[in-house]
Structure formats: C-alpha cells, structure tokens
Amino acid sequence: MISRELTSSASANVRYLRESFEDTIDSIVMQQEYLISTLDVRRYLTFSTGSTASEIYTMQYNILDHLQKICYTHSIIKLFQLYYPTLDVVLSASLDKNFTSVTKVQQIQDRESLLYQYANKSSVLSFDGENLYLFYGRQIGSSEPQFITKVTLDTEDIVERLRAYDVYSDQRAFLYHWNSGTVISSNPQLNDLGAALCQSIEPSLNSGVYYFRLEQAGVAYQAFCADIPALKVTFVQLIEDSKLNAIPSRLRFLIVLSVFLCAFVSLVYFFMMRYLVTRPVHALVDCFRHASRGELDISMGEYSTKEFLSLSQGFNDMISKLNHQINVNYQQKLLLQQAQLRQLHSQIEPHFLYNSFFMLRHTIAADEVEKAESICDYLGKYFQFITRLDCEFLPLKDEYNNTMNYIAIQKMRFTPRLTMNIQPLPAGLEALEVPALILQPIIENAIEYGMPKTNACICLSFKRSGDMLVILVDDNGRQLSDEQIEKMNLDTANLAICGSHALENIHNRLVLQYGRQYGLRFYRSGSGGLCVEIRLNGSTSRQPERR
C-alpha cells in the first residue's frame, strides 16, 4: 500500500508540474498575443518615423511598461524582447536578482539570424543552445513579420520548479526537450543520468502519466513521465527501486520500536519537562523584565537544549549589540559636538580680528572714509553671522554670503597681493541646506597657509555630479608633495599637514551627516597649489541626521 501511495504521489507530482508549466507557458503566449494587439505597439510601427521625439518616447515608455508588467507577472521570464524587423529596433525588459526592472531600446544586432529563428521554429517552445525561449509574431502576406516577440525563459527558475516538486532530497527531476535533445535537471551533478534518460525516453503523446524502468551505473530507477505535446517537452521524475522497497520494511521496524519507546518516553517526558522547559522560560521572562526596565547589564546562562541555547545566545547577542549601538551613538554625538565646538572656535580667529582692526585704523588714518565704512560693514555682518549661529544647518546662500564677507575683508587687507576668482552661487542652490561653517574655514586655510608672498590667486567654483554637489577651492601657494596629498586623502588625522584642524573637523562632520562617499578630497590644483574638493549631498531637501 505504501509503495502504491509513493508511486501515486510521484505521478501526481509529475502531472502537477506539467500542468503548472503548461499553464505558465499558455499565459505568456496569451500575453504575447495581447501585447502585439495593443494600440501603442501598432502605432509605434506606423508613426515612429513621422512622430516627434516626445511622442516616440511616450510610445516607447508605454510599450516598455507592458513588458515590465509581463516580467513581474512570471518569475520564469528571464528576458522579454519585442522586435520590429522593418524598423531594425528591439525593445526589451528583464529583472535582475533584486527584482529591479532593466529596460532597453536598441538596434537589432543580428536581424537575419532573428528572422531565420522565427521562420524555422518547430514548436511554441524552442531551444537556441543556451536557453529555452518562446517566439510569437505577426506577419501579413509573404512579407517579413511586422512584430516578433521573443521570451527567454530563466533556466534557474525551471531548476527551482523541478526541485520544488521532487519527492526525495537527492533531486532527480528532469525536463526533456524533444527537438534539441536537451535535458534540464534539478541537480547539475545528474548530467550523466540525464544523458541516459534522453536515450531511453519515448514520448507517448497523451495526457496521462506513464513510467518505465531505467538502469544506470548499476542502479535501477522508476521513471515517471508526463508529456506536453504542444511544447514538445516531457517532465520526468526518477525514484530508485531500493527506496520504494525500503520504506515499508523501515516502517515495520519503526512501528515495533515505537511501542517500546512510547512508554519510556512518556515517563522521561514528565520528569524532564520542568527542568528542560519551565526553568529556562522563567529565566528568559525574568531577563526580558530587567531589560524592559533599562537594566542592560544582564545575561542569560547556557542551557542544554538546542532551542533554549539558541534563545539565550540570541538574547545575549541582542543585549550586547544594543549596548554597543548605544555606545557608538553616544561617541558619535560627542564627536559631532566636539567638532562643532572646535569649528566655531576656529572661526573667531583672534589674529583675523586684530588684523582687521589694525587695517581699519590705518584706513581711518589715511582718511579713506568710504573704505573704512565698507570694512566696518563687512566686519559687522561677519561677526553678526558668527555670534548668532545657533543651528547646525543653514541655507547654502547664507553660508556663501558669510564667505563673501570674509573674502571682501581679506581682499582689502592683501590688495594687490591677493586675487580672488569667485564663481557666483549657481541658481537653484540657494535654499539647499548644508552644515554650518564648512566653506569660510577652507578659504581662510588657503589664505593663511597656501598664499604665496606675491601674485596669490584663490579660486572658488561649483559643479554638480548627479545628487552630489562639489565645491572646489584652489590656490597657487604652498607646495605639498604628492605623498602628503595622498596621506591627507587616506587618513583625516593627516589633515594637519595643511596647518589647521578645521579641515579635519569639516570632513568628519560631512561624513557623519551624509556618509563616507562625502566629505573632503584633496588634489593638485591646476596652478600647482592645493585643490580642496567639498562633497555635499546636492538634493534639495536636507538629509536626515544619522543617529
């Protein structure tokens, strides 16, 4: 009876696998037919040459949207392609491993090979030496087809289907394609068995399940087969004769053994239950109670049972990671606060203030009233910005204006020794929120440490790269070796090479805020000095802080 049930189960598996695969293929064929009958597919052929670029793009988008939906509908589809032989254009859609759609519009690479494959297809399901695929087309008269759809099936998905309906763990299920003689197995190690199966199988062209005996390498198998004549494929499942006969004998032994074990287990179960279950459960509940009160210095002991050992280890790992994350967040918060504090201190530079007042005194002594008035105005705006800065983020426009005030003061101080080449703030970036005090300290560092005694030139420019905003500060002054610049890029601790800790603070703030791909980068400038590249997130809204 058990042998008959196993045989019936194997037959049902093969039958169900055949029906499931046939329904899937029929559904894909129907969707191919429907796709070719849609308005956009036909309009693209008729109006692609006379339509505007916008209209062509809209039609391509609608067609690719259809292809994407079909790919999402069936996991067995590896690639869906829609060819227009008369236009020499192919539109394709596929899904990658992350189920992200990939669409393309390109020219047909091998048009003659495509038409030959379509004209010589022997059945709905064909094989091109690597993959199974489905061809469908629309042809009027004797001319070449107007449309051709080619659906490439995912061999890995077919293998997973074979594995899902296998009876035993040794994975002996196959898909046999008649015309090509190709066999796809549920286990790549069964290629020799698949080759023997190709020579033995004889399709019956009926809707029933049939089976036959097969011997390979001294092992006898029962082969259960189900054909799909329309697709010219056969699903096969092999079961060893020894396993079919061994299960009833094994079951008799287990029945006798279970009679003796049942009484023993019943007695042991009663005495062990309290020790193996009740005690660990109470300990786990007690640990969670302490954790809920914020007492994170607790841990569970180890237990002999696998389940409670896994629970105790999981609980201890959770507490350890929670403590680690709390410490990491605390250290990051301290680092950010320290960087901000050091940054603010570095802005209010006493030497800058003294020199500005000395310059103001000389200007007044020289009776240059208008220049003295400008100096007072710039100094007032600069220190008003510094002393009222109580937020971590501010619009880029405010940061830029404060830097311009600082530059104006320094130009008055070092004229004609210093030349500033400043690019205006690009339109659309005024409201972009950025961390405060990231631009002026870099200009200050270039003037303080990178300005030569004569003909100094400092440049400020902006550029966009996707979502990244890059601000460039160049100078032609102090010469740093390539080795020093490389060290500055490798480790922020080496930024003191430039003579200031402000660069290190700014870099750490940007990395903590946006991620490691942002921050400061250093290069040799075109004028021979140092180029500092400030990388920011250029999206229009401020990014959330990393906690």
Side-chain angles (χ1 to χ4, degrees), residues 324-393:
H324 174 72
Q325 191 63 37
I326 290 174
N327 291 332
V328 168
N329 289 339
Y330 179 74
Q331 293 297 330
Q332 288 181 347
K333 185 176 181 181
L334 286 180
L335 179 62
L336 183 58
Q337 291 175 347
Q338 292 171 1
Q340 290 174 340
L341 182 60
R342 292 168 61 187
Q343 180 68 20
L344 290 175
H345 282 303
S346 69
Q347 301 308 306
I348 308 176
E349 177 63 49
H351 295 291
F352 168 70
L353 179 60
Y354 299 156
N355 291 330
S356 298
F357 280 130
F358 289 148
M359 179 179 61
L360 179 61
R361 186 192 67 179
H362 290 305
T363 303
I364 295 174
D367 200 21
E368 298 178 358
V369 178
E370 293 183 358
K371 183 176 179 180
E373 181 180 358
S374 298
I375 294 174
C376 291
D377 182 52
Y378 289 132
L379 278 175
K381 291 180 180 179
Y382 176 78
F383 284 102
Q384 182 184 39
F385 176 85
I386 293 296
T387 56
R388 293 186 178 181
L389 185 62
D390 58 355
C391 57
E392 184 180 353
F393 287 84

Side-chain angles (χ1 to χ4, degrees), residues 229-287:
L231 302 179
K232 298 187 182 302
V233 296
T234 299
F235 287 95
V236 184
Q237 191 163 36
L238 298 182
I239 301 178
E240 294 181 17
D241 282 348
S242 59
K243 290 189 175 183
L244 287 175
N245 298 326
I247 292 177
S249 300
R250 189 183 308 162
L251 182 60
R252 282 194 296 269
F253 171 77
L254 292 176
I255 291 174
V256 175
L257 181 62
S258 64
V259 172
F260 292 95
L261 290 179
C262 185
F264 176 77
V265 170
S266 298
L267 293 175
V268 174
Y269 178 83
F270 176 80
F271 292 105
M272 296 295 294
M273 185 58 64
R274 288 182 58 85
Y275 178 80
L276 295 178
V277 178
T278 305
R279 187 171 63 90
V281 167
H282 285 306
L284 180 61
V285 172
D286 186 63
C287 287

